[in-house]
Amino acid sequence: MKKIISWLVAIGVIGFLAAYAGSSFIMKSRKAPESEVAALKYDEALIKKGEYLARLSDCAACHSVPGDAEYAGGLAMQTPFGAIYSTNITPDAETGIGNYSLTEFTNAVKHGVRKDNAPLYPAMPYTSYTIMSDDDMQAMYAYFMEKVPAVKKANAPSTFPWVMSMRWPVAYWQFLFSPIRDFEPNPALTELENHGAYLVEGPGHCGACHTPRGIAYQEKALSNDSDLYLSGALIDGWRAKSLRGEVQGLKLWSDGDIVEFLKTGRTDKVIAFGAMTDVVEHSSQYWSERDLNATAAYLKQLTPAPNKILELPKKEDTTTDLLLSGKYKDPGAILYVEHCYTCHRADGEGVSRIFPALNLNSAVLANNAQSVIQVTLEGGKMPETPADRMAFTMPAFNHLSDDEVAIIINFIRNSWNNTSPEVSAEDVAEIRQFLRHKAPNITLN
């Protein structure tokens, strides 16, 4: 018996060492040879291009903590296994990327390989950035090294349990789910739509939030070769909506709505909230008109996601008159008038560009109501852009009970012209529990 156990232990040790060695081989195979990268010229045009690409790629939203130095890292990103903290990507030599060569920078951004050959967690969207050109990497490197102030701020470890915190197995994840690839234009699309596809699929990395993930946390599609691509996903406790052509996606949005939303965080009916607020503030408000129009053109030609609603059932609005009459006993109507009516109004249409409409709002209509529950419990703040004079905040209603929050949300999701599945008090309790245990951001003292 002892002999069998000894053999099993030996086989286990050999297997572990072989797997570890294999991970190192995978990482080395993903790295670009130093000699393949041209020498960098730090001229102003290149630096300016790099600054735009950093905005386009939304680096600041993940690598900055609100109120702290931009790009200094420390933002907590919740995953099913714990929190990952974004890293310091300022040019500080000790805690940032000051000692990275251009090749090492490219390997990290495009291939998910850290300077010390360790794999980066897939919270970093290298699965998308891999299609960006080496020239773009050169420009971004010039910007970070020449214009971003160096900040000394140590990186925080993840809160993953011991086994999950080992990095070397991530190499196998990269091997299976993060191929090194180039962008392939679709001959059936226009030049503008193909440019939009490149932006969405690459630097914009929209799929990182809006594409559902599989059992290994991999994006189920990296491009539009599957209608699961951009069909909506749950990330960081938010339900990132579908960007495809169904009712709960972008069917009710015009190209102009998409452009306006990305540029200002608002349309006449909806306002960005949650993680999308950061995207608008740090990234999309800076996009060029061509890039905005290309993104809208590409998204609007996507077909509907599978098993989603293409038409809403017709429903007469009886809610507005009921609320205006003041003669109601429904607990949902009472709670709505007490907590929501002032901003979102009796007709549920809100106030254009100030308070979002709740009637026919795609977030409200979503089958999965995590975002609506979370913003009700946690509140929210509009993105700040030069397009609007003021950014308003929505207060947190976490003093209400789980039953009361569920009643209000069900009233909103099934009033006016809305028809949506109901949520339960247990659904609210689950989100409240998630919010209570969210890891805090790491800030400078």
Side-chain angles (χ1 to χ4, degrees):
M1 187 66 181
K2 285 184 178 178
K3 194 172 183 179
I4 294 175
I5 293 175
S6 297
W7 271 106
L8 290 175
V9 169
I11 291 171
V13 170
I14 292 171
F16 176 84
L17 292 175
Y20 185 81
S23 71
S24 180
F25 174 78
I26 291 172
M27 299 316 297
K28 287 178 180 175
S29 71
R30 295 177 65 87
K31 294 167 73 171
E34 187 83 34
S35 58
E36 288 187 4
V37 182
L40 182 63
K41 295 180 180 178
Y42 296 107
D43 61 72
E44 281 303 314
L46 188 69
I47 293 170
K48 195 168 183 62
K49 176 184 174 184
E51 181 176 13
Y52 180 75
L53 287 167
R55 291 293 183 194
L56 188 67
S57 305
D58 201 15
C59 304
C62 285
H63 288 276
S64 309
V65 168
D68 203 352
E70 200 166 53
Y71 299 120
L75 189 78
M77 291 175 278
Q78 315 297 325
T79 79
F81 315 110
I84 296 173
Y85 287 96
S86 61
T87 55
N88 182 350
I89 57 171
T90 73
D92 179 66
E94 183 180 340
T95 62
I97 60 171
N99 285 331
Y100 273 61
S101 68
L102 170 58
T103 304
E104 290 164 343
F105 177 83
T106 301
N107 284 331
V109 176
K110 289 185 61 173
H111 305 153
V113 184
R114 206 167 61 180
K115 180 181 174 69
D116 61 359
N117 205 46
L120 295 173
Y121 291 127
M124 165 71 175
Y126 45 81
T127 49
S128 300
Y129 293 158
T130 189
I131 67 172
M132 295 176 70
S133 70
D134 287 342
D135 287 345
D136 286 350
M137 291 300 108
Q138 207 172 49
M140 289 175 67
Y141 181 78
Y143 166 64
F144 278 104
M145 294 301 177
E146 293 296 306
K147 277 295 176 72
V148 175
V151 177
K152 188 176 294 296
K153 180 179 178 182
N155 294 314
S158 74
T159 65
F160 287 1
W162 172 70
V163 174
M164 297 301 298
S165 65
M166 289 192 296
R167 281 188 179 267
W168 66 266
V170 179
Y172 290 93
W173 185 96
Q174 293 186 353
F175 176 75
L176 293 171
F177 303 118
S178 182
I180 295 174
R181 59 197 173 92
D182 296 317
F183 174 69
E184 296 181 8
N186 182 344
L189 300 183
T190 66
E191 182 181 349
L192 187 68
E193 290 168 343
N194 265 316
H195 182 57
Y198 167 74
L199 296 171
V200 169
E201 192 179 319
H205 64 279
C206 304
C209 289
H210 292 272
T211 297
R213 293 183 181 258
I215 193 170
Y217 205 59
Q218 83 281 13
E219 294 173 47
K220 288 187 174 178
L222 298 176
S223 63
N224 194 33
D225 55 3
S226 163
D227 51 14
L228 289 175
Y229 182 58
L230 302 177
S231 62
L234 180 64
I235 187 164
D236 205 15
W238 295 102
R239 184 70 186 175
K241 66 180 274 134
S242 169
L243 303 182
R244 301 187 69 92
E246 64 275 5
V247 166
Q248 291 136 323
L250 293 178
K251 179 176 181 178
L252 304 180
W253 293 49
S254 68
D255 287 41
D257 288 337
I258 297 172
V259 169
E260 188 179 7
F261 182 79
L262 291 172
K263 191 172 184 178
T264 71
R266 312 183 195 187
T267 70
D268 287 345
K269 287 185 70 72
V270 303
I271 291 173
F273 60 87
M276 194 63 201
T277 296
D278 295 329
V279 173
V280 175
E281 279 197 348
H282 292 292
S283 179
S284 61
Q285 69 164 307
Y286 300 101
W287 291 15
S288 69
E289 290 296 324
R290 178 174 182 263
D291 286 352
L292 290 168
N293 287 320
T295 300
Y298 172 67
L299 293 178
K300 281 299 290 181
Q301 59 80 45
L302 293 177
T303 55
N307 304 316
K308 296 291 181 72
I309 300 172
L310 302 182
E311 297 289 343
L312 283 176
K314 290 188 178 179
K315 180 180 179 182
E316 184 182 354
D317 173 16
T318 59
T319 309
T320 302
D321 288 343
L322 175 69
L323 292 177
L324 289 173
S325 74
K327 299 175 182 177
Y328 41 81
K329 296 181 180 178
D330 174 9
I334 294 171
L335 286 168
Y336 180 83
V337 170
E338 289 177 348
H339 298 93
C340 316
Y341 183 105
T342 302
C343 296
H344 298 287
R345 307 302 164 96
D347 59 5
E349 295 295 338
V351 178
S352 177
R353 301 193 68 78
I354 298 177
F355 304 122
L358 300 179
N359 185 34
L360 298 180
N361 182 313
S362 52
V364 172
L365 293 172
N367 284 331
N368 208 317
Q370 284 107 329
S371 290
V372 177
I373 296 173
Q374 185 168 175
V375 79
T376 303
L377 290 173
E378 195 176 45
K381 179 178 175 298
M382 301 176 187
E384 292 190 52
T385 75
D388 294 281
R389 184 172 296 179
M390 296 179 68
F392 296 90
T393 59
M394 173 174 160
F397 291 98
N398 54 12
H399 58 284
L400 298 176
S401 70
D402 295 338
D403 282 329
E404 289 171 325
V405 172
I407 289 170
I408 289 180
I409 290 175
N410 287 329
F411 176 80
I412 291 170
R413 279 162 63 85
N414 291 284
S415 290
W416 309 290
N417 305 116
N418 293 341
T419 302
S420 303
E422 295 205 340
V423 303
S424 67
E426 288 73 25
D427 295 329
V428 178
E430 187 177 331
I431 301 296
R432 194 191 296 272
Q433 182 81 349
F434 167 78
L435 294 174
R436 188 177 292 130
H437 292 94
K438 277 177 77 171
N441 296 326
I442 304 296
T443 57
L444 290 173
N445 295 320

